[in-house]
Amino acid sequence: MKKILFLGLGHLGTFFISQNKGHEIIGTNRSGESDFEIPIISYQLGARWDGPREFDIIIISFPPTQEYAENLKILLSDLKPFQKIIFISSTSVFGNGMVSELSPQTGQTRNAQELIKCESLIKSFNNYVIIRPGGLIDEHRHPRRFFENRTHIK
């Protein structure tokens, strides 16, 4: 059984928890409240970490914000030592067009620029995985739902 810290519980975190019940998971959100059956710590990126520090895996899944990379650097220094980092990024780091893992990171949006800096920081550690979902879709979050009540679509 692994001890996992999931920073930034949200849509992806909900799914992750449901699929990984055999591990000890601690999650964070801004309020510290949740319907999850795991311990939740109130934490907002930018604050110093004063929670537990002994984890096998740290999953980072915050929405990109201004100064994300700088705040993440401070957080990771507070959490050392750790064995593995999984960072949830976005395909936006590549900009538009056909891309592969080897494509240059040319994303121009503010979020893409922050994620590019964060990925660079994560790559400075030995044991990491970067996941770049192109969109999180399931039965509750599907593009068709955005158009269900529209009447003037051509």
Side-chain angles (χ1 to χ4, degrees):
M1 174 169 42
K2 300 280 186 189
K3 188 169 181 183
I4 301 169
L5 174 62
F6 200 111
L7 295 160
L9 282 175
H11 188 73
L12 183 62
T14 302
F15 181 76
F16 180 84
I17 290 167
S18 73
Q19 300 298 308
N20 289 280
K21 294 190 184 289
H23 298 286
E24 181 183 347
I25 303 170
I26 296 174
T28 72
N29 64 20
R30 284 179 240 158
S31 70
E33 299 173 9
S34 172
D35 294 333
F36 298 118
E37 298 173 359
I38 65 166
I40 302 294
I41 296 171
S42 175
Y43 178 77
Q44 187 160 344
L45 188 62
R48 297 306 299 240
W49 179 260
D50 62 357
R53 288 177 167 73
E54 303 280 328
F55 297 100
D56 299 307
I57 301 170
I58 297 172
I59 301 172
I60 303 165
S61 183
F62 295 113
T65 59
Q66 283 186 315
E67 300 179 6
Y68 186 14
E70 193 57 39
N71 289 328
L72 188 58
K73 184 177 184 179
I74 293 166
L75 174 61
L76 291 173
S77 71
D78 287 348
L79 284 168
K80 283 183 180 175
F82 42 80
Q83 293 179 21
K84 185 174 194 169
I85 298 174
I86 299 173
F87 181 70
I88 310 301
S89 185
S90 168
T91 56
S92 69
V93 299
F94 295 120
N96 297 326
M98 294 280 291
V99 297
S100 75
E101 187 65 24
L102 301 175
S103 296
Q105 293 183 330
T106 59
Q108 297 299 311
T109 66
R110 179 189 58 83
N111 286 355
Q113 291 294 304
E114 281 299 318
L115 289 170
I116 290 167
K117 291 181 214 171
C118 289
E119 285 192 19
S120 179
L121 171 65
I122 296 299
K123 290 175 184 176
S124 71
F125 295 97
N126 291 330
N127 196 3
Y128 67 89
V129 173
I130 296 173
I131 299 173
R132 298 184 187 110
L136 302 175
I137 298 173
D138 65 13
E139 65 275 1
H140 303 289
R141 204 177 201 190
H142 194 281
R144 75 174 181 281
R145 295 179 63 108
F146 297 107
F147 300 107
E148 284 178 341
N149 298 319
R150 309 283 176 153
T151 58
H152 295 85
I153 298 175
K154 295 181 181 182

